[in-house]
Amino acid sequence: MPKPSASKATGKTRRFISGVVEGFYGRPWTMEQRTELFQREKKWGLNTYLYAPKDDYKHRMYWRDLYSPEEAEKLVALITAAKKNGVDFIYAISPGLDITFSNPKEVATLKRKLDQVSGFGCSSFSLLFDDIETEMCPADKKAFSSFAHAQVAVTNEVFTHLGQPDTFLFCPTDYCAAFCTPNVSQSAYLHTVGENLLPGIDVLWTGPKVVSHHITVESIVEVSSVLKRAPVIWDNIHANDYDPQRIFMGPYKDRPTDLIPKLRGVLTNPNCEYHPNFVAIHTLATWCRSEGGRVGGQRDVEMSGDDDEAGSDPCYSPKRALTLALTDWLQEFLSTDQPGGPRPLNPTHLKKESSDEEPMQTDVGDPVYVPGSGDNPLFTAEPLTLDDLQLLSELFYLPYEHGSTARTMLTELDWLKAHREAVGEAETELTAEWRSRAKCFDVMCVAVFTMFNRLSNAPNRSILYDLYNYICDIKSGVTLARAYVKQLGGQSRPSAQVMTDDPEPWGFRGGLSGEFQRMLPCHGNRDLFRHPPMTSVYSIRPFCPEDKTEIQKIHMEMQRGEAKAPAAALPALISDGLAGGQLSPSPNCGLVLEDERGVCGYALGLTDATAAALNNQRTLPGDFPSLVTMQLQPRVTDPAPARRMIGSLLSLMKTSGSRGVFCELRQGDRRMFDFYSKLGSFTTLKIAGLPQDVVAMGTSL
């Protein structure tokens, strides 16, 4: 384990903080689960539990209220259980939603609440000011020069009142680099905290982001210099409270063990569901132990990096740590003596010692059913294996990456879909490859179904119930993908689940939240699987006047591509004024497409094009008063961002009052003509005064 560190304030030796935060939004864990957690922490060498469930009313929303006798009894039992297992119980309170920092009565109320918890036997505390509004009330503005000064003043006073506990944590409002203005090194807020917070108080930090993909030594050195102390990492890499459709069972990773000497501690804030956190907590414990070889002699466990892991850590292998965790977790799955697990009936408990009543019927003594030669065989549940749990982890890996099997399945499905025309051809090498890869994909699908069945019949039902919604969801998705591939290969009729315009509810995902996101003009592609061979990630944003130059360049480039004759010989379009900058799009009716190289497309609209049409000697049909124009550079080969951009523009124009739009295209612009035609909603229009080589298309809104 990491070496203890000496406190600069007191000179006392303080151990490296390692353990678990219960700090998510959602249903808090039960007292029984927390007690079991303490036992696990003791077994795995972790030493801390931070009590901070956001939905404990008296932790956050009603922080002023004292605990009732019944609540106090539970907390006393919890604190006692933590001590029994050598776990430091840190009680956290979040008064930041509505505290008036300058009001002495408010500070006294906060002290009274923490004094009550201190009376329960708790000796470690934390003040959290995360996820709150930063605007101070008028009274606080008069008393404090900044929000940071207000927080620090109250925190120092409470820390002193409690006798300067050995462990006292402060969570700042700017708790990650992404929240710092303009950056970490120049953050006035963090500098105020670092310069004024008493040295015995430690600061919580989540890394570059709220959910950080990587945490580097350089980033920790930077924030430590500003805070004037090493931070305690509140790690959200396994947190899932922001998305009820995701859960994370990959290993603790992308944090080099070189970080450990630079930190005061690490606490994981894992999934809302208690049981699936076995992997997150187990692998964190392995990570903490792995550093021992460099600071304290022999490592607790051999964890040298794998050859196949890029940038592998010489002291810690996520892959091996995951295998260790899953091996231990398998034993819990197969055990029936866990809380909530099924237990065999004991007939002596079902009979009354003296009664004239008939005893309750049980299966004790019943003959064993043996099916006949023509009967269905008995269903036998296959035992869960380590390979099943490995697959489970890879399907529900980490926020920024899928596991290897999930990546392979996505890659294979994409290839099979992209080369589906090979199946209908005469037998070729490509046809043989398609069928071979389809067979491999089917084997992977069957493995998912097998894993699902074995999990569903595992003896420990408590773990299963935490996982059930997630494994049902992935089984449904894999079932649809498998049916689609079989259909492409001619092995089955077209699947109604895959091809119908009126699917069952399980045939589509996202709900209302997903529909809202897809309607937003800036909702980019954030899938972890990038569609090969496309490597670009496109974003759509609102048009601004500074974009005119880039739009003009694209407009001129596309004109040159359309014409064999000089651009001056091309028939004029009304939209030339929009793209050329002579006309401005209507408010909120312009969008720009960007990739990693810059602006690569645009979609602009005029809600009332009557005047522009008259200037070009056109007469508009009454049902199509609005004009749209769109162009993309040739490097944009994926039609999806174009469809999303024109769909967003039409939605914006409808919101602006338009009842119908039209566009004008030169006959040489086959690309855009095909694009509008394939949308299905645009039809050819007859417009008086239209030049011979110009086509008009329109759609009602």
Side-chain angles (χ1 to χ4, degrees):
M1 295 298 290
K3 276 185 177 179
S5 61
S7 168
K8 293 181 181 179
T10 64
K12 294 180 181 179
T13 299
R14 301 193 297 172
R15 63 181 178 177
F16 184 87
I17 294 172
S18 61
V20 180
V21 182
E22 186 181 346
F24 50 80
Y25 292 86
R27 178 184 296 174
W29 296 332
T30 66
M31 292 295 179
E32 292 76 13
Q33 289 171 338
R34 291 164 179 158
T35 301
E36 183 182 65
L37 171 64
F38 302 154
Q39 296 167 354
R40 288 180 177 176
E41 289 195 89
K42 178 182 180 180
K43 180 179 179 181
W44 298 337
L46 300 173
N47 57 43
T48 301
Y49 166 77
L50 177 58
Y51 177 87
K54 294 292 191 292
D55 286 322
D56 176 347
Y57 283 158
K58 293 185 178 180
H59 157 77
R60 186 172 174 86
M61 188 176 297
Y62 300 122
W63 61 269
R64 297 175 182 83
D65 295 356
L66 296 177
Y67 287 105
S68 68
E70 295 78 11
E71 294 166 335
E73 183 179 356
K74 292 180 179 179
L75 276 175
V76 168
L78 202 60
I79 294 167
T80 302
K83 289 182 177 179
K84 181 180 178 181
N85 288 281
V87 173
D88 186 16
F89 183 101
I90 304 176
Y91 177 83
I93 191 166
S94 296
L97 287 176
D98 59 1
I99 187 174
T100 300
F101 293 92
S102 57
N103 189 334
K105 292 182 179 179
E106 289 276 78
V107 179
T109 298
L110 181 58
K111 293 176 182 177
R112 182 186 65 163
K113 178 67 168 286
L114 295 179
D115 283 341
Q116 184 195 31
V117 178
S118 178
F120 299 160
C122 181
S123 58
S124 299
F125 300 90
S126 179
L127 281 184
L128 309 182
F129 295 106
D130 57 319
D131 302 340
I132 59 174
E133 295 295 330
T134 58
E135 183 68 21
M136 289 192 292
C137 66
D140 286 343
K141 287 181 179 179
K142 291 181 180 179
F144 300 106
S145 57
S146 72
F147 199 40
H149 282 97
Q151 293 177 357
V152 167
V154 170
T155 302
N156 286 343
E157 185 172 344
V158 170
F159 174 65
T160 302
H161 170 79
L162 292 171
Q164 300 194 5
D166 289 340
T167 303
F168 193 97
L169 307 181
F170 167 82
C171 183
T173 304
D174 294 356
Y175 55 79
C176 66
F179 290 175
C180 297
T181 304
N183 51 50
V184 171
S185 62
Q186 296 176 289
S187 167
Y189 177 93
L190 288 189
H191 275 287
T192 299
V193 171
E195 292 165 4
N196 296 281
L197 198 67
L198 291 175
I201 302 173
D202 293 305
V203 179
L204 292 162
W205 184 251
T206 65
K209 300 167 64 177
V210 178
V211 181
S212 295
H213 189 178
H214 301 273
I215 300 179
T216 65
V217 172
E218 293 76 16
S219 70
I220 294 304
V221 170
E222 179 185 34
V223 73
S224 297
S225 67
V226 176
L227 295 175
K228 302 187 185 307
R229 69 203 78 203
V232 176
I233 296 297
W234 172 311
D235 208 324
N236 290 316
I237 192 62
H238 286 94
N240 71 335
D241 55 355
Y242 53 85
D243 188 344
Q245 292 183 318
R246 285 193 275 179
I247 194 168
F248 303 113
M249 290 177 278
Y252 191 74
K253 68 189 296 279
D254 297 318
R255 287 96 171 100
T257 52
D258 289 339
L259 279 173
I260 296 177
K262 308 290 185 183
L263 296 172
R264 173 75 176 94
V266 178
L267 299 171
T268 180
N269 180 38
N271 299 285
C272 299
E273 297 83 359
Y274 169 74
H275 291 287
N277 289 322
F278 192 101
V279 171
I281 302 169
H282 193 292
T283 56
L284 171 64
T286 302
W287 182 85
C288 290
R289 293 198 304 273
S290 67
E291 197 268 347
R294 289 179 291 118
V295 298
Q298 182 63 38
R299 289 193 294 270
D300 295 327
V301 60
E302 185 59 38
M303 271 288 146
S304 59
D306 295 321
D307 293 337
D308 60 347
E309 292 183 6
S312 60
D313 190 321
C315 295
Y316 174 75
S317 162
K319 184 176 180 180
R320 296 182 187 177
L322 177 62
T323 300
L324 287 175
L326 295 177
T327 301
D328 287 351
W329 201 21
L330 179 61
Q331 301 309 309
E332 292 208 0
F333 267 102
L334 301 179
S335 173
T336 59
D337 59 359
Q338 300 295 315
R343 292 171 173 78
L345 291 172
N346 183 347
T348 60
H349 295 163
L350 302 177
K351 298 180 181 179
K352 294 187 177 181
E353 293 184 1
S354 58
S355 173
D356 295 332
E357 298 178 9
E358 289 292 326
M360 181 183 295
Q361 292 186 356
T362 73
D363 62 358
V364 177
D366 286 351
V368 177
Y369 171 73
V370 179
S373 59
D375 297 336
N376 280 326
L378 290 175
F379 174 80
T380 303
E382 296 180 353
L384 193 67
T385 68
L386 183 60
D387 286 342
D388 294 322
L389 292 189
Q390 189 76 43
L391 176 59
L392 176 70
S393 171
E394 291 179 356
L395 297 179
F396 300 96
Y397 203 62
L398 290 170
Y400 294 100
E401 62 178 308
H402 295 305
S404 60
T405 300
R407 292 196 303 271
T408 301
M409 293 184 75
L410 289 169
T411 301
E412 291 303 296
L413 178 59
D414 181 80
W415 189 93
L416 292 167
K417 179 181 176 184
H419 296 84
R420 57 188 179 274
E421 71 281 352
V423 185
E425 300 173 352
E427 197 68 24
T428 64
E429 288 186 7
L430 183 60
T431 304
E433 182 183 2
W434 195 98
R435 296 199 183 282
S436 175
R437 293 177 74 158
K439 184 177 180 180
C440 291
F441 181 77
D442 194 71
V443 169
M444 289 186 284
C445 292
V446 171
V448 174
F449 304 149
T450 301
M451 178 267 293
F452 174 87
N453 291 333
R454 290 172 176 171
L455 276 172
S456 299
N457 291 287
N460 194 316
R461 312 308 286 174
S462 297
I463 305 177
L464 171 66
Y465 297 150
D466 273 358
L467 293 170
Y468 199 71
N469 288 341
Y470 300 102
I471 61 175
C472 282
D473 187 64
I474 193 61
K475 181 193 175 193
S476 175
V478 171
T479 299
L480 290 172
R482 187 191 191 204
Y484 176 66
V485 171
K486 284 184 174 294
Q487 174 195 316
L488 291 180
Q491 296 173 267
S492 63
R493 292 182 177 182
S495 171
Q497 296 181 55
V498 176
M499 302 304 294
T500 181
D501 290 330
D502 184 25
E504 293 283 1
W506 57 80
F508 51 90
R509 293 289 182 267
L512 181 60
S513 176
E515 293 194 36
F516 276 131
Q517 292 181 31
R518 287 188 289 275
M519 290 179 68
L520 300 179
C522 297
H523 181 61
N525 177 14
R526 290 295 179 266
D527 289 344
L528 300 184
F529 176 74
R530 302 301 186 203
H531 187 289
M534 183 192 76
T535 57
S536 297
V537 177
Y538 298 98
S539 62
I540 301 171
R541 62 169 175 80
F543 163 85
C544 60
E546 290 76 14
D547 295 319
K548 285 186 177 180
T549 301
E550 292 298 321
I551 289 175
Q552 288 171 0
K553 289 181 181 178
I554 296 174
H555 175 61
M556 295 300 295
E557 178 184 346
M558 302 312 296
Q559 278 191 325
R560 287 193 295 270
E562 290 175 37
K564 296 178 182 178
L570 292 172
L573 304 180
I574 303 175
S575 57
D576 288 344
L578 265 178
Q582 293 82 23
L583 295 174
S584 296
S586 299
N588 301 317
C589 291
L591 298 171
V592 171
L593 182 70
E594 289 183 316
D595 61 10
E596 68 277 3
R597 292 165 58 184
V599 176
C600 56
Y602 61 84
L604 308 173
L606 278 177
T607 54
D608 185 358
T610 305
L614 289 175
N615 291 336
N616 285 267
Q617 299 180 343
R618 313 270 210 280
T619 301
L620 301 184
D623 292 337
F624 303 95
S626 305
L627 171 72
V628 296
T629 181
M630 188 177 81
Q631 275 295 356
L632 305 168
Q633 288 191 329
R635 70 174 186 260
V636 182
T637 58
D638 182 7
R643 289 196 298 266
R644 190 160 59 244
M645 184 163 61
I646 192 65
S648 299
L649 178 62
L650 296 180
S651 177
L652 291 169
M653 296 191 73
K654 182 177 181 179
T655 302
S656 297
S658 175
R659 63 181 182 275
V661 303
F662 76 97
C663 64
E664 291 184 342
L665 304 169
R666 297 182 182 92
Q667 288 186 351
D669 191 0
R670 298 302 306 175
R671 185 189 187 202
M672 294 311 300
F673 182 80
D674 290 343
F675 172 78
Y676 282 111
S677 298
K678 290 179 180 178
L679 285 177
S681 56
F682 278 79
T683 57
T684 303
L685 302 177
K686 293 182 179 180
I687 296 181
L690 203 65
Q692 183 178 356
D693 294 333
V694 175
V695 177
M697 304 183 74
T699 182
S700 299
L701 299 179

